[in-house]
Amino acid sequence: MNCAKKQKKNPKFLRLGADFGFFYSTDMFLTIALLSAPYTDLTYRALDVFPASFWKKGLRCCVPLGRGETLRSGILLSVSNRTTLPNSVTIKPLIWPLESTPLLTDEIVELMIEMGRRFGETVGRMAAGFLPFGLRQTSLLLHVLHENKSLCLTLTEVAHASEEMKRLWASEMLANKSKLLPSRRNTDTEECYALNCDPPWPVRPNAKVQIQILEYLFDHGPKNKKQIRTAIGSNSTQALRTLLESDCVTLSREEDTSLADNAPLLPPAARPFALNAEQSDAVLRLTEALSQGQTATYLLYGVTGSGKTAVYLDIARACLKEEKSVFLLVPEVALALKILKDTQTLYPDLPVLLYHGYQPPRHREEIWRRMQNGQPVFVIGTRSALFLPAQHLGCIILDEEHDGSFKQDDGLSYHAKEIAWFRAQHNGALLILGSATPDIRTYYAAKEKHIAMASLRKRVSGNALPPIELVDMNEPGSISESVSLMSKKSLLALEETITRGEQAVVILNRRGFAPHIYCLSCGKTERCPDCDIGLTYHKARGKLICHFCGFSRDFPSPCSSCGGSTFVPVGEGTERIAEELSSYLGQNVLRLDRDSTRRPGQMEAILQAFAREEAQVLVGTQMISKGHHFPKVTLVIAANADMGLSMPDYRASERTFQLLLQSAGRAGRGEKAGRVLLQTRDREHYCWPFVLSYNYEDFYEAEIRRRKKLRYPPFTNLALIRMSFQREEKDAMAELSELARAFRTEAKNRGLVLLGPAPSPHALLCGRNAISVCLKRQTGATSVPSSRMAYTAWRQKQPAQLLISIPSTCSKSKKRGHLWTQ
């Protein structure tokens, strides 16, 4: 239906001329959290054309902002019959509700409020961080059907309509006879462009605009014409036509650009099988906890290949039988796709939804709307799925609960484990944390009986775990001259595996060709001008790229320090290892990392090709260390196994141990035995005996003793406060140091230990200098104070020139801070 034409045919149906302030109840005030800047909470008057019972917490509304009456969307937080604002303040009425039934449940609203309180942010900013774009916009049309007449009106036209018309439309909306629709779309927003090739780009070097478009799509994924024009410029239209003609990009509707959720993912999904004794016992215990209808937390501790997924699916089926929803969260999209296929094969009747951040906004918006019907669903996805407003939530499962991917640092900052715990508490749900190498703090909680634990100690295949061997890279003559970072022993094992017709996986947790480019003329490495970090060489793209801020420049190009032109790539990345192995072995080598999976469907294509044995060797980052099941893989090589041991983090050994045991679990999952080689230059590190014997329990005991001695979690609570400022602000360091002293005074008064201030591990990122302060709670101390408390104590003595909130940004001083607690 062409809404514009219908409006012209029924001019009497719309009566203009009323002022914004005509129609509202004088005794109902609504607190609205804005979903766009300034993200604050504002008070509006309720429209009296709707009954008082209509205004419920979580309702999305359209409100005016500023003198120009700009339309903004917001969330209703509370309703009151009185306001604390003075009588001299004119309170505007809201424009129109964006739905008849709140999309956000009371639980989600409470979650947003709690997160805002935790991080010192407004509710609006919290909500804007996880709501799909379509649920935050106001460019909607009110579609009304009444007495065989049809009309579509913009929200601006609704705001100016007469009271009679508003009452009519409100009654129609309450009777579900009117609906808010997306605004009229055009080809600029409907058509999506996606990459159809990989770097190096098959275009002429002087086709600058085409290269810009290809690089933009490579970095940001499929985009519509409007987004490309905004990023590149108006001269992008002709370049897009040329790229389409040369088949470098493809054109499709936005809905078709998501990852291939329904494509056959190889290897095939698991076939139905009977649970073994350990699995049956775990299912029984978890089902009993589920049936009690009370909040409970379980650690499902099972070795790699022990069949934890089968336990999850049985619990999900039991929960759905009780008319309750289930969330199953995993750290990687590829793992979510695999579990989706397993579920669809084993239990095709289950109502399964897939949700992750790579899906188009419109697709995610539709999933949000489906939650309004209140039907129980089984959601499989990544961390962002935790915010879906599923009703009657009965069980939340975090697979690989130890994984760092469950923590989000950029934009909306949160840890999925904390959100899952909050939702489980609110719903009286069962929270299951599954892992072969649990977080030390989680396992400590289980050992101390704070949470329950079920164990799976045997592989379902009956095979023993593959033996692990250390390869000492310090031994003279041990390193191969043919392939960088590969020992002669590893290459020999790789050749033997290929000769037997088996497959191998090589893991190196560093993408790109080389992490540094060294100039032979001046002896310096190329560094990012905004981050003071070495630029990584990406050979296929012909660029030096900063992996923190995205800065890039063409390479080869003159040295930024001396203008020289003689360089040596230093270090190894997955791109280099894959290229050199392919040349050495004389066959195709697949690569799975963030760079090789940028194009939609490329991740699935690589996994399918490896499962079909189109290649015998797969090189990748930690993306391939979790969950994947390839029966023909009998050899796993960790090319730089001790890379993470030297990180400035008290969890460095724990994270390395977890990554290596997860990686080792990819070998020997079929009929043939496996083998694991770990290449190291630090053979004396205390974690190796535990890794070689797969002994998580003994590693835990050693690690927990170290943490108790050094006073690290779980024996203390930590709060890390990060503060940053533009490097041009010369006086900022002195001001932040003074703020840190205020933290020190407040900490001392509360029996806390303050470490710092000290430069952050990456002291310059994105043009901002950063310092950190760490608060450590001693035994018997009171709770860690909020950053606002310490700031307030210091702020009362200072002029109004410095404003800092944690973690919000202040437009005056442009200083920023973040508060993390453990």
Side-chain angles (χ1 to χ4, degrees):
M1 177 184 66
N2 190 317
C3 295
K5 291 183 179 180
K6 288 291 183 181
Q7 181 173 325
K8 292 178 181 178
K9 289 181 180 180
N10 298 278
K12 295 181 180 180
F13 196 64
L14 177 64
R15 304 179 184 181
L16 300 175
D19 185 73
F20 271 23
F22 275 14
F23 318 113
Y24 52 78
S25 172
T26 57
D27 58 356
M28 287 195 66
F29 301 96
L30 311 178
T31 301
I32 305 292
L34 298 183
L35 292 172
S36 56
Y39 298 104
T40 189
D41 298 347
L42 297 178
T43 301
Y44 291 89
R45 291 186 184 271
L47 297 174
D48 66 355
V49 297
F50 290 93
S53 60
F54 174 80
W55 305 107
K56 298 177 181 178
K57 184 189 296 185
L59 192 74
R60 292 180 305 120
C61 302
C62 176
V63 297
L65 183 68
R67 295 181 180 179
E69 303 297 354
T70 303
L71 302 188
R72 299 292 177 88
S73 61
I75 297 172
L76 175 57
L77 298 182
S78 64
V79 182
S80 177
N81 292 328
R82 62 182 64 184
T83 177
T84 58
L85 296 174
N87 295 332
S88 59
V89 175
T90 301
I91 302 177
K92 298 178 182 179
L94 59 77
I95 301 297
W96 199 256
L98 297 180
E99 56 202 1
S100 56
T101 303
L103 177 66
L104 301 180
T105 61
D106 288 354
E107 174 196 359
I108 299 299
V109 174
E110 291 299 323
L111 173 61
M112 294 186 302
I113 294 173
E114 181 62 28
M115 290 179 65
R117 185 181 298 118
R118 169 75 180 274
F119 296 109
E121 281 286 12
T122 63
V123 176
R125 189 181 289 273
M126 292 288 103
F130 61 78
L131 279 174
F133 175 74
L135 299 178
R136 293 180 275 126
Q137 64 177 350
T138 57
S139 55
L140 304 173
L141 298 172
L142 180 63
H143 178 218
V144 184
L145 296 176
H146 180 69
E147 295 181 353
N148 294 324
K149 294 180 180 179
S150 172
L151 187 65
C152 283
L153 306 108
T154 66
L155 293 177
T156 301
E157 292 170 335
V158 171
H160 288 86
S162 67
E163 181 177 13
E164 179 185 356
M165 292 286 67
K166 283 189 176 183
R167 290 191 181 281
L168 172 62
W169 299 334
S171 64
E172 296 291 325
M173 190 170 182
L174 293 172
N176 294 322
K177 293 183 180 179
S178 67
K179 186 178 181 181
L180 284 157
L181 303 174
S183 60
R184 292 177 287 274
R185 298 168 179 165
N186 54 48
T187 57
D188 284 359
T189 56
E190 279 286 305
E191 297 174 352
C192 246
Y193 294 83
L195 283 176
N196 196 36
C197 62
D198 292 315
W201 309 121
V203 298
R204 293 176 290 106
N206 60 348
K208 302 296 185 184
V209 179
Q210 294 181 40
I211 294 175
Q212 278 185 286
I213 294 173
L214 292 171
E215 292 286 348
Y216 176 71
L217 294 177
F218 187 87
D219 289 332
H220 299 91
K223 296 294 179 183
N224 60 46
K225 187 183 292 185
K226 182 178 179 180
Q227 293 169 320
I228 295 173
R229 189 186 297 121
T230 301
I232 307 299
S234 58
N235 56 347
S236 60
T237 303
Q238 180 57 46
L240 278 172
R241 293 196 196 101
T242 304
L243 290 173
L244 282 171
E245 292 171 358
S246 60
D247 206 30
C248 291
V249 299
T250 58
L251 182 62
S252 62
R253 292 192 178 277
E254 186 181 27
E255 291 86 347
D256 301 329
T257 59
S258 62
L259 290 173
D261 298 344
N262 296 315
L265 181 67
L266 296 177
R271 298 191 179 191
F273 62 91
L275 299 179
N276 61 28
E278 285 186 330
Q279 290 173 311
S280 298
D281 180 65
V283 168
L284 179 62
R285 293 182 61 189
L286 294 171
T287 304
E288 289 177 351
L290 180 67
S291 62
Q292 293 177 3
Q294 297 179 350
T295 303
T297 302
Y298 262 82
L299 169 63
L300 181 60
Y301 168 49
V303 300
T304 55
S306 60
K308 293 185 291 294
T309 302
V311 174
Y312 300 152
L313 297 185
D314 262 40
I315 296 301
R317 188 171 56 164
C319 191
L320 289 168
K321 285 182 178 179
E322 295 185 7
E323 300 293 317
K324 295 181 179 180
S325 295
V326 187
F327 284 176
L328 173 51
L329 307 181
V330 294
E332 301 283 353
V333 174
L335 189 52
L337 292 170
K338 179 187 180 301
I339 293 180
L340 174 68
K341 300 306 171 186
D342 289 345
T343 306
Q344 292 174 337
T345 301
L346 296 173
Y347 307 114
D349 57 327
L350 294 185
V352 184
L353 291 177
L354 180 70
Y355 189 91
H356 54 77
Y358 289 98
Q359 294 169 318
R362 202 174 300 167
H363 182 79
R364 285 181 278 134
E365 177 187 343
E366 181 60 30
I367 293 177
W368 272 79
R369 295 188 186 280
R370 285 184 60 178
M371 296 292 171
Q372 282 184 300
N373 61 22
Q375 296 296 319
V377 292
F378 181 18
V379 178
I380 299 173
T382 52
R383 63 188 179 219
S384 58
L386 263 177
F387 295 101
L388 289 173
Q391 302 179 34
H392 313 297
L393 189 56
C395 182
I396 303 175
I397 304 168
L398 267 66
D399 190 25
E400 312 292 356
E401 63 89 23
H402 65 275
D403 197 275
S405 299
F406 282 122
K407 179 180 178 182
Q408 177 168 302
D409 290 327
D410 300 328
L412 176 64
S413 300
Y414 67 93
H415 199 300
K417 199 181 297 185
E418 294 181 350
I419 305 300
W421 184 87
F422 178 93
R423 299 205 64 180
Q425 291 286 326
H426 195 279
N427 289 274
L430 173 64
L431 174 60
I432 302 176
L433 307 173
S435 178
T437 53
D439 186 304
I440 292 290
R441 292 165 294 183
T442 303
Y443 197 75
Y444 176 81
K447 296 283 284 187
E448 294 296 310
K449 309 299 182 182
H450 299 310
I451 63 175
M453 182 171 67
S455 300
L456 304 174
R457 299 184 178 275
K458 297 180 181 178
R459 282 185 157 188
V460 292
S461 64
N463 293 346
L465 291 166
I468 302 177
E469 306 170 43
L470 280 184
V471 179
D472 191 348
M473 301 292 281
N474 290 324
E475 291 183 1
S478 63
I479 302 177
S480 167
E481 298 179 358
S482 303
V483 182
S484 302
L485 201 64
M486 294 292 284
S487 68
K488 295 178 181 178
K489 182 176 182 178
S490 297
L491 283 181
L492 178 61
L494 196 58
E495 291 173 340
E496 292 172 350
T497 300
I498 293 173
T499 301
R500 294 194 300 267
E502 299 163 1
Q503 292 180 301
V505 169
V506 179
I507 296 177
L508 176 62
N509 205 22
R510 180 190 288 143
R511 60 190 176 95
F513 189 86
H516 301 286
I517 289 293
Y518 179 80
C519 177
L520 293 177
S521 300
C522 65
K524 297 181 179 179
T525 58
E526 292 295 289
R527 306 185 74 79
C528 174
D530 296 323
C531 298
D532 195 28
I533 289 174
L535 294 173
T536 300
Y537 176 39
H538 289 253
K539 184 177 180 180
R541 298 178 68 179
K543 286 185 175 294
L544 299 178
I545 300 175
C546 174
H547 285 178
F548 286 86
C549 72
F551 169 84
S552 67
R553 67 183 181 88
D554 295 336
F555 186 82
S557 58
C559 174
S560 58
S561 299
C562 69
S565 57
T566 308
F567 300 93
V568 173
V570 178
E572 300 81 12
T574 51
E575 185 181 6
R576 184 173 191 170
I577 295 292
E579 179 184 292
E580 294 182 358
L581 277 178
S582 179
S583 176
Y584 178 80
L585 299 173
Q587 61 175 256
N588 181 36
V589 172
L590 295 174
R591 176 165 60 94
L592 187 73
D593 56 26
R594 183 179 173 185
D595 295 327
S596 66
T597 57
R598 301 270 188 172
R599 288 196 285 133
Q602 192 67 9
M603 180 188 300
E604 296 86 344
I606 294 172
L607 293 173
Q608 289 173 20
F610 191 59
R612 288 194 296 262
E613 300 181 49
E614 295 178 11
Q616 290 181 270
V617 179
L618 175 64
V619 175
T621 58
Q622 63 178 358
M623 292 174 64
I624 59 177
S625 67
K626 298 180 283 286
H628 300 294
H629 178 76
F630 297 104
K632 285 293 189 73
V633 171
T634 58
L635 176 65
V636 169
I637 300 174
N640 196 354
D642 50 17
M643 179 189 298
L645 291 176
S646 59
M647 296 296 290
D649 192 320
Y650 74 92
R651 295 162 295 187
S653 297
E654 176 189 359
R655 289 176 173 175
T656 300
F657 180 89
Q658 290 165 341
L659 176 62
L660 295 179
L661 257 65
Q662 292 286 340
S663 302
R666 300 315 105 203
R669 297 173 74 95
E671 297 178 355
K672 298 182 179 180
R675 181 186 183 189
V676 181
L677 300 178
L678 306 181
Q679 300 185 158
T680 179
R681 296 183 183 276
D682 185 10
R683 193 182 179 94
E684 303 304 318
H685 196 277
Y686 75 90
C687 78
W688 292 131
F690 309 119
V691 173
L692 297 179
S693 60
Y694 290 92
N695 197 332
Y696 175 83
E697 286 85 355
D698 285 356
F699 172 78
Y700 163 81
E701 294 295 341
E703 187 69 13
I704 209 71
R705 286 195 297 269
R706 292 171 62 89
R707 294 194 184 184
K708 188 173 184 178
K709 179 180 179 180
L710 299 175
R711 304 190 63 78
Y712 280 118
F715 301 103
T716 57
N717 287 340
L718 297 181
L720 178 64
I721 304 170
R722 300 171 181 161
M723 297 172 283
S724 66
F725 56 91
Q726 296 286 354
R727 58 181 163 187
E728 293 82 9
E729 299 182 80
K730 303 300 182 181
D731 61 338
M733 181 61 78
E735 294 176 344
L736 290 182
S737 297
E738 189 172 354
L739 175 60
R741 285 193 290 274
F743 278 114
R744 184 180 300 279
T745 301
E746 182 71 18
K748 185 177 180 181
N749 294 338
R750 293 174 173 267
L752 305 177
V753 176
L754 185 143
L755 306 178
S760 297
H762 299 297
L764 177 64
L765 284 180
C766 303
R768 301 182 68 89
N769 288 304
I771 63 173
S772 299
V773 173
C774 182
L775 290 172
K776 183 180 288 190
R777 187 176 72 171
Q778 297 178 338
T779 305
T782 58
S783 59
V784 176
S786 71
S787 56
R788 287 191 180 277
M789 296 170 64
Y791 165 68
T792 301
W794 171 83
R795 179 69 183 85
Q796 292 173 349
K797 303 177 182 179
Q798 303 302 317
Q801 62 181 358
L802 178 62
L803 299 174
I804 298 179
S805 63
I806 307 296
S808 61
T809 303
C810 174
S811 60
K812 288 187 177 180
S813 67
K814 297 182 180 179
K815 297 175 178 63
R816 184 180 299 150
H818 295 282
L819 172 65
W820 287 107
T821 60
Q822 295 176 350

